[in-house]
Amino acid sequence: DQGTGDRSAVITQTKTRTQRPSMYRVLILNDDYTPMEFVVYVLEQYFHKSREEATRIMLHVHQTGVGVCGVYTYEVAETKVAQVIDTARRHQHPLQCTMEKD
Ligand code: TYC
């Protein structure tokens, strides 16, 4: 027998819950000047849409003023917005792209 030895030691397991990240919608806005074909190209190139889906989204934006390109974590959404605006400016199109919390 250990006599006075402490046999009551316990290891406490703390359960950690991984938080799911907030998600952000990337939106494109309509304007009067950006060619429809350029918007379809952007949706294919940066949001991995099929030509059919890209065309559907572009027409929705053309008719309603705004549309969702995709939903991403903050940094991915931020990068997509920057890529779209950069590409549009390089082609001298006024296309606007923004993000909002999902
Ligand atoms: N309205 C533009 C045109 O008639 C087409 C367009 C669609 C522009 C979607 C921007 O996000 C946009 N050429």
Side-chain angles (χ1 to χ4, degrees):
D1 185 69
Q2 303 266 107
T4 56
D6 181 10
R7 297 171 191 232
S8 67
V10 290
I11 295 169
T12 304
Q13 291 195 357
T14 54
K15 286 189 180 170
T16 54
R17 284 258 60 149
T18 304
Q19 291 293 310
R20 277 191 301 232
S22 296
M23 301 299 280
Y24 293 80
R25 287 188 285 271
V26 173
L27 309 172
I28 45 168
L29 307 179
N30 189 38
D31 66 71
D32 292 340
Y33 305 103
T34 303
M36 290 185 173
E37 178 50 42
F38 183 80
V39 178
V40 171
Y41 161 79
V42 162
L43 289 163
E44 290 179 312
Q45 197 72 13
Y46 296 102
F47 299 95
H48 312 293
K49 305 299 185 187
S50 65
R51 178 142 284 250
E52 293 69 32
E53 178 70 356
T55 302
R56 193 190 64 73
I57 294 169
M58 181 280 294
L59 286 175
H60 171 83
V61 175
H62 178 67
Q63 287 156 10
T64 70
V66 64
V68 179
C69 305
V71 182
Y72 308 96
T73 54
Y74 188 90
E75 282 182 282
V76 173
E78 216 181 23
T79 301
K80 303 260 183 210
V81 169
Q83 287 173 326
V84 170
I85 292 174
D86 182 65
T87 305
R89 294 305 168 270
R90 282 193 285 106
H91 289 82
Q92 302 189 320
H93 297 316
L95 182 64
Q96 282 294 349
C97 185
T98 187
M99 59 194 269
E100 65 178 24
K101 204 165 183 185
D102 194 26

